[in-house]
Amino acid sequence: MKLILVGMNYKTAPVELRERLQNYCSDQDVALPDLMMNPEIKEAICLATCNRIEVIARLGDTARGEDFLKNFMCTQGNFDINETEKYLYIYRDIDAVLHLFRVASSLDSMVMGEPQILGQIKDAYRMAVDRHATGVLLNRLTHHAFQVAKRVRSETEIAGNAVSVSYAAVELAKKIFGSLKGKAALLIGAGEMSELAARHLIRQGAGNLFIANRTIARAQQMAEEFHGAAVSFDEFPSFLPEVDIVIASTGAPGYILTAPMVAAALKKHKHKQHMLFLIDIAVPRDIEPEVGELDNVYLYNIDHLQDVVDANRAMRRGEALRAEELIAEEVAGFEKWFNSLAAVPAIVRLREKTDSIVQGELARFSAWLGGLKEEDRAHVEWLVSSVVNKILHDPITVLKEESSEGDELPDMAAIRRLFKL
């Protein structure tokens, strides 16, 4: 199959390491051309989310391609060899298929059952297609992954009462404060994660909601939807004294909120012991880690959501087992399709040979055929093709069945020998 998946995720690497790769891999105009320039990378898709950075590729030479991908991740993430060995995972061939199907079905997500990952894979695939980085194998594999995800969501309750990283962030805030009723919140960023956070905050009874975004029109749109107030991105630090909760989820490449900014804001608060809860669900992180060292400030990042995640995972464990069974069926189906490709060259040659014979015989009898009416001549040609197709039907069926089931292909060898293919 020569398929490989190399990556790191929230389970294998902390956010401090993931964000080193995230910046580079999320820029598909740079990452994909860099990958495809290597002659051993025949197809590639690059997936970069807050919880995982993965490259799935079809290779030319397996060993050279794998070495290149490991070095690629190591170089772009500025990892040393020990970090590469410790934090990167590699799946090959059918194991890569299984991993992709599990990821698409959100079984491998930090918050199991969350719906965002499927959209993120679709976006990554679309960007790879737009840049001509996919071919027969990855096109088929990715579309199959979409079907698997749909089947898992429709045939299990894995996505019942769907939650998300944003939900986990709000649940964490709830654990800190006990109740969010009347608590004011500042959302930095106005993307999907911020929108979900706003929805969960309101559901928990949060009070004033401020939304800051680089594009103020988007902040205003979201503020209108959630009955909050839009804030200019440059001015959001001045609103820190007004809130109890800050949730940051921008796509900024570096820190947008620093310790001096938070310290200055807290000095302006009328209560000296005012507690500020900040959760940074962006990767790369939006909030400087030193913010967490300030008095009365509680800073969490996406890796700190584990308790909420574990509770969600326990609740969905039964459905996850059912989903794993469905995925195993689908992996077997994909493997069967891939194996059947081994028969394609022989089938093509068989058809080419019989077509050549048919055309030769029709040419040989062209004088006789020329005396027939056009309608009768068409009937003769149809009759010949029909007879040939019926003769070929069984051998081609045998070839497909045999190739889809195993490595031994005695019938294919026999057909090649008998028909001198």
Side-chain angles (χ1 to χ4, degrees):
M1 200 176 284
K2 294 188 175 183
L3 186 69
I4 190 168
L5 187 148
V6 181
M8 61 169 52
N9 65 18
Y10 68 96
K11 291 184 286 190
T12 66
V15 65
E16 295 85 357
L17 288 176
R18 300 201 305 274
E19 63 188 3
R20 290 195 218 164
L21 262 180
Q22 220 275 352
N23 264 342
Y24 171 80
C25 289
S26 59
D27 188 346
Q28 303 274 354
D29 283 326
V30 176
L32 276 175
D34 284 353
L35 283 167
M36 298 304 293
M37 279 179 63
N38 187 284
E40 305 304 342
I41 306 299
K42 304 302 181 186
E43 302 177 52
I45 296 173
C46 191
L47 176 65
T49 76
C50 58
N51 280 325
R52 68 183 65 247
I53 299 97
E54 295 179 344
V55 173
I56 186 164
R58 180 173 70 84
L59 305 177
D61 181 87
T62 305
R64 287 199 296 270
E66 184 171 323
D67 284 344
F68 165 75
L69 278 177
K70 285 164 65 177
N71 289 331
F72 176 85
M73 301 289 263
C74 183
T75 303
Q76 302 305 335
N78 194 26
F79 304 135
D80 61 35
I81 188 65
N82 292 329
E83 288 174 324
T84 303
E85 295 294 330
K86 186 175 179 181
Y87 298 113
L88 280 183
Y89 48 77
I90 298 175
Y91 295 105
R92 302 172 184 87
D93 295 333
I94 210 66
D95 289 333
V97 174
L98 173 62
H99 180 77
L100 180 65
F101 287 2
R102 294 187 78 254
V103 170
S105 303
S106 83
L107 288 188
D108 199 55
S109 292
M110 172 180 263
V111 182
M112 190 183 289
E114 55 91 5
Q116 285 78 32
I117 185 62
L118 183 58
Q120 290 164 334
I121 294 175
K122 287 182 176 179
D123 287 343
Y125 173 63
R126 178 181 50 75
M127 287 187 273
V129 170
D130 289 347
R131 289 157 183 78
H132 309 291
T134 63
V136 172
L137 183 60
L138 289 193
N139 285 337
R140 178 75 178 221
L141 176 63
T142 315
H143 281 281
H144 201 140
F146 299 156
Q147 293 168 11
V148 172
K150 184 178 180 182
R151 189 180 172 202
V152 167
R153 297 183 79 80
S154 62
E155 295 186 25
T156 74
E157 290 297 323
I158 196 76
N161 300 313
V163 295
S164 61
V165 168
S166 304
Y167 166 85
V170 174
E171 283 295 301
L172 184 57
K174 192 176 161 188
K175 286 180 71 175
I176 298 294
F177 287 104
S179 167
L180 300 184
K181 192 170 182 181
K183 299 294 181 188
L186 169 64
L187 300 176
I188 309 175
E192 184 181 6
M193 289 171 80
S194 185
E195 197 171 322
L196 288 169
R199 192 160 283 120
H200 292 305
L201 284 167
I202 290 171
R203 198 170 294 155
Q204 293 297 327
N208 292 335
L209 198 61
F210 301 98
I211 299 150
N213 194 54
R214 289 191 190 280
T215 307
I216 189 66
R218 171 59 187 148
Q220 290 167 337
Q221 182 186 14
M222 210 173 125
E224 186 176 344
E225 180 179 355
F226 295 104
H227 306 291
V231 173
S232 161
F233 196 81
D234 294 334
E235 295 176 357
F236 81 77
S238 65
F239 282 80
L240 292 174
E242 308 291 326
V243 301
D244 307 286
I245 302 165
V246 176
I247 298 179
S249 62
T250 79
Y255 302 134
I256 58 169
L257 187 56
T258 63
M261 292 163 72
V262 176
L266 289 178
K267 284 180 183 174
K268 297 178 182 175
H269 200 278
K270 56 186 177 183
H271 299 301
K272 295 297 181 186
Q273 298 302 315
H274 175 67
M275 189 170 72
L276 184 61
F277 170 82
L278 303 102
I279 183 159
D280 186 351
I281 53 177
V283 180
R285 289 169 294 174
D286 284 336
I287 304 175
E288 190 179 48
E290 286 75 13
V291 169
E293 297 172 9
L294 298 173
D295 290 340
N296 300 319
V297 173
Y298 297 84
L299 171 63
Y300 297 87
N301 64 44
I302 196 166
D303 285 353
H304 293 131
L305 303 176
Q306 200 58 49
D307 287 347
V308 180
V309 168
D310 288 345
N312 171 70
R313 193 171 295 275
M315 190 172 66
R316 292 161 197 267
R317 189 163 293 142
E319 294 305 314
L321 290 174
R322 172 65 182 139
E324 296 282 9
E325 292 172 1
L326 295 179
I327 289 173
E329 288 177 17
E330 295 292 344
V331 169
F334 183 82
E335 186 175 26
K336 190 172 183 179
W337 168 81
F338 180 80
N339 289 338
S340 73
L341 295 180
V344 171
I347 293 171
V348 169
R349 288 185 200 171
L350 189 57
R351 286 222 169 265
E352 287 175 347
K353 182 158 190 174
T354 53
D355 285 346
S356 174
I357 292 170
V358 167
Q359 294 306 318
E361 292 303 299
L362 289 175
R364 195 156 69 89
F365 288 93
S366 59
W368 174 72
L369 289 168
L372 298 179
K373 293 179 180 176
E374 185 174 345
E375 183 180 358
D376 292 336
R377 193 164 60 248
H379 282 154
V380 171
E381 292 175 357
W382 176 85
L383 177 64
V384 173
S385 294
S386 179
V387 170
V388 170
N389 285 336
K390 285 185 182 300
I391 292 172
L392 291 181
H393 179 268
D394 286 343
I396 288 175
T397 301
V398 168
L399 285 177
K400 288 180 177 177
E401 290 176 351
E402 182 186 62
S403 62
S404 67
E405 290 173 357
D407 298 329
E408 299 295 327
L409 304 173
D411 292 333
M412 186 181 297
I415 285 175
R416 286 181 187 276
R417 189 170 63 253
L418 290 170
F419 286 88
K420 296 184 177 179
L421 299 178

